[in-house]
Amino acid sequence: MTSSGIARAVSALVFNVVLPVALGFTAAFLFAASAALQRRAVLHAADSDSEHRASTHRLPVLWLFRRLLRQRVWLAGWTTNLGGFASQAAALHFGSVALVQPLLVTQLLFALPMASAAVRRWPPLRDWLAALAITGGVALFLSVEGAAPMEGEPDRDRLVIAVVVAALTIVTLLQIAQHQGPLAYSALVAAGAGICYAMSAAMMKLTADSLADEGVAATAKDWPGYLLAVTTLSGLVLGHQAYGSGSLSAAVAVMSTVNPGVSFTIGLLVFNAVPSTEPGPLAAVGVAGVLLVVGALGLAHSPAVRLETRSTATHGVYPIRGNV
């Protein structure tokens, strides 16, 4: 190979692999840092609610948003979140979805020490292994061809049904959560947030396609754009509630798992995607499922996660049972 050929190969490797990987890890770190900052802001807002009025509601964080908007930490969290989105967009510009998506799941590995810093306790080895199992399971699932398929023309009638089912599922999860302890409550609320973010991805796909094909005026008359705003705002509220009522690392793990799972279901039912029946992808999905189960059990029984959850339940936005 000539020197010019080597130079082109190196350049292709940098722009197609190294750069998107670096940007993907940067986005994952910024998303984790944003979640940690938002959690800190929620806990501070809860402490300022001396009469604990917010905790008498099913979603206490809703009653604290006016306080959150006045906090520099919360604004810093949002600025960090925007940086994460910018890094993700740049990574997707240079690299493929199949390369970037699995990298974003590593935010759990960044969130774990950030969550432990709040209770001044370094994560033990078992927590790292559990987080690695969850990260590896989701990354393996996303690496399977067609794992989150949203290509092609969607069936809008089915999409409406999917929206209704998603809304009913979230309401049911929130209702069940009211009778659970802090860790289960936070996990169920985080699952609702994960559903919202998956629906947002579907609406974002439809809105982006509509803008590109039909223009701003036609998009403004179509409902997916407005539903995108609703699902994004709902995910924001539920995410804050999950961060502020339980374990940050557990909440991030649940959202990172539920989001691609719901996206996969939407792809099959709404976007008419056909799942792979090849032995390789099926085996990968099976291994991913085992890793997720092992990792979830590990985090659920982690002393560090339980300590963090107890601290958050006492000083955070966990609803007071007697008044709900």
Side-chain angles (χ1 to χ4, degrees), residues 23-29 31-32 84 87-89 91-92 97 99-110 135 138-139 142 252 256:
L23 289 169
F25 280 127
T26 300
F29 172 79
F31 284 142
S87 298
Q88 180 184 3
L92 289 171
V97 174
L99 174 64
V100 174
Q101 271 189 304
L103 296 175
L104 297 178
V105 186
T106 59
Q107 63 181 291
L108 173 58
L109 299 178
F110 294 116
T135 301
V138 177
L142 292 175
V252 171
S256 299

Side-chain angles (χ1 to χ4, degrees), residues 63-84:
W63 307 90
L64 296 173
F65 258 94
R66 289 180 62 185
R67 299 173 187 261
L68 289 174
L69 292 173
R70 296 194 295 266
Q71 290 193 41
R72 292 182 179 179
V73 174
W74 188 81
L75 295 175
W78 263 107
T79 303
T80 306
N81 198 46
L82 291 176

Side-chain angles (χ1 to χ4, degrees), residues 30-45 61 65 68 71 73-82 85 197 235-237 239-241 243-244 248 255:
L30 291 175
F31 284 142
S34 173
L37 290 170
Q38 289 169 1
R39 178 179 184 272
R40 181 179 174 186
V42 170
L43 296 181
H44 186 273
V61 75
F65 258 94
L68 289 174
Q71 290 193 41
V73 174
W74 188 81
L75 295 175
W78 263 107
T79 303
T80 306
N81 198 46
L82 291 176
F85 278 117
Y197 291 139
L236 164 68
V237 172
H240 277 65
Q241 182 64 52
Y243 299 148
L248 173 63
M255 282 188 276

Side-chain angles (χ1 to χ4, degrees), residues 235-276:
L236 164 68
V237 172
L238 294 178
H240 277 65
Q241 182 64 52
Y243 299 148
S245 59
S247 166
L248 173 63
S249 51
V252 171
V254 171
M255 282 188 276
S256 299
T257 303
V258 171
N259 188 342
V262 175
S263 295
F264 176 71
T265 304
I266 293 174
L268 295 180
L269 300 180
V270 176
F271 287 83
N272 298 311
V274 179
S276 176

Side-chain angles (χ1 to χ4, degrees), residues 198-222:
M199 298 304 298
S200 294
M203 298 306 143
M204 189 180 298
K205 166 69 176 173
L206 294 179
T207 303
D209 290 346
S210 179
L211 278 172
D213 298 336
E214 302 176 18
V216 176
T219 303
K221 298 177 182 178
D222 205 3

